[in-house]
Amino acid sequence: MHDPSVSAISPPAVQDADADRRFRESVRRHGWDPDHKFLGGYVDWEWRHSRHAYDDLFTSVRGKKVLEFGCHLGGTAIVLATLGADVTAVDVAPKFVELTQLNVERHGLSERVKVVHVPDTTRMPFPDEAFELVSCNSVLEYVEPGRLGAVQREIDRVLARWGFIVVLGTSNRLWPTDIHSRRFLMNYVPRRLHGLFPGRPVHSVFPWELRRGFGDYADISKQDHGRLIVDLKAKMGMTGPRLAAFSAANWLLRPVGLHVGFVSPTITMILQKRVGRGAGDG
């Protein structure tokens, strides 16, 4: 259910000028433009987009313990903290841990977001069932295929029973063009042969790999025949003929028990852990 108070929450804004300066300097040290929309502007992007997945799924994320798995620059973690969640943000890359910490500081959210470097995400330093929600935003496609199952079992271990996993922005191998590299048809080339084709690396995953790897979870979007996904895309800014086509595709998938979150360019799944078996229960 939607919390009507969420609409009154102000978007995250830079609060600390010194931390902002250090963030921008760090971004430049890595050879990037701090004014790029997916760097310095990434928090604003996530506020306009991924926020709606949390606004409309839960009565409120306020006070919930949330794991941001693969925090990158901390955009989603900052959005979740602004909505009132207590966030732990993790990443395997030290540079992203550093940038996330500075991003959190410049938004004045250090008391709400803990940033942790986790070099091995198959063994995270958290107790069983430590979190009520795990956000995986544009990250699982970057996990080495041979490690993906172990990573999913570890996410399952730290998620409480009846907790949620929100998968967003994950490049779909069913789609002709890989959204990260923009390489056409490379999603259909077996991974072992990618080295024969020069160019940017392809990062994508099949939706059934993600769905199966988490084990005994309820697919919330499947239960409502994908209506949640269609509404979510509309709130993220999809309009006109594109939204109509998206909705029509969802309707056509119903008879085969799928929803449009499985076949769109980026995979969208909202999964709820059951009281029974999960991926880590043997």
Side-chain angles (χ1 to χ4, degrees):
M1 296 176 60
H2 178 66
D3 179 1
S5 67
V6 165
S7 60
I9 297 175
S10 298
V14 172
Q15 304 289 336
D16 186 325
D18 181 62
D20 181 52
R21 176 186 56 76
R22 289 183 284 118
F23 172 81
R24 295 175 67 85
E25 288 175 352
S26 183
V27 171
R28 289 193 188 96
R29 272 201 311 274
H30 292 292
W32 301 326
D33 177 6
D35 293 316
H36 192 281
K37 69 176 180 180
F38 289 133
L39 294 167
Y42 196 39
V43 171
D44 292 337
W45 171 272
E46 292 297 346
W47 181 258
R48 296 194 307 271
H49 294 84
S50 70
R51 174 183 105 248
H52 300 288
Y54 307 106
D55 278 6
D56 298 329
L57 274 177
F58 311 102
T59 313
S60 174
V61 295
R62 182 169 298 280
K64 291 188 182 297
K65 296 184 183 302
V66 177
L67 174 66
E68 172 62 6
F69 183 84
C71 58
H72 188 47
L73 272 70
T76 306
I78 289 167
V79 166
L80 285 160
T82 301
L83 295 174
D86 294 316
V87 184
T88 299
V90 303
D91 207 286
V92 299
K95 65 182 177 182
F96 290 136
V97 171
E98 174 198 356
L99 288 167
T100 294
Q101 184 62 56
L102 289 171
N103 212 2
V104 167
E105 290 174 9
R106 77 181 186 133
H107 284 88
L109 290 167
S110 296
E111 293 184 2
R112 284 251 175 226
V113 182
K114 179 182 179 182
V115 187
V116 182
H117 178 220
V118 179
D120 182 1
T121 50
T122 67
R123 305 171 96 180
M124 291 189 282
F126 310 118
D128 293 355
E129 303 190 13
F131 302 100
E132 298 163 86
L133 186 150
V134 179
S135 169
C136 300
N137 190 349
S138 189
V139 62
L140 294 174
E141 69 268 45
Y142 289 99
V143 178
E144 294 177 17
R147 293 170 56 86
L148 181 58
V151 166
Q152 289 180 278
R153 288 190 291 274
E154 182 68 353
I155 291 172
D156 171 79
R157 182 187 68 79
V158 302
L159 180 65
R161 303 300 171 108
W162 299 118
F164 289 89
I165 297 172
V166 179
V167 177
L168 300 171
T170 301
S171 182
N172 192 342
R173 286 203 75 187
L174 290 179
W175 202 251
T177 303
D178 172 54
I179 64 165
H180 297 297
S181 68
R182 303 297 181 187
R183 298 177 70 184
F184 186 59
L185 297 181
M186 280 298 294
N187 277 334
Y188 305 150
V189 175
R191 289 189 178 101
R192 67 181 181 276
L193 299 179
H194 280 190
L196 300 176
F197 300 87
R200 295 177 62 189
V202 172
H203 296 287
S204 57
V205 64
F206 287 118
W208 53 81
E209 290 181 277
L210 297 185
R211 182 66 187 87
R212 190 168 54 231
F214 282 118
D216 188 19
Y217 279 66
D219 186 336
I220 302 302
S221 300
K222 185 176 179 179
Q223 290 178 351
D224 80 344
H225 304 293
R227 287 189 293 270
L228 183 149
I229 302 293
V230 175
D231 290 346
L232 177 60
K233 291 296 184 179
K235 288 171 182 176
M236 287 180 171
M238 186 182 287
T239 58
R242 190 177 173 205
L243 181 62
F246 194 82
S247 181
N250 186 65
W251 182 82
L252 290 170
L253 288 166
R254 288 184 187 181
V256 295
L258 296 176
H259 58 76
V260 74
F262 273 84
V263 301
S264 55
T266 57
I267 299 166
T268 303
M269 292 183 188
I270 315 298
L271 305 176
Q272 185 175 28
K273 188 174 181 177
R274 302 182 198 269
V275 169
R277 284 190 60 193
D281 290 330

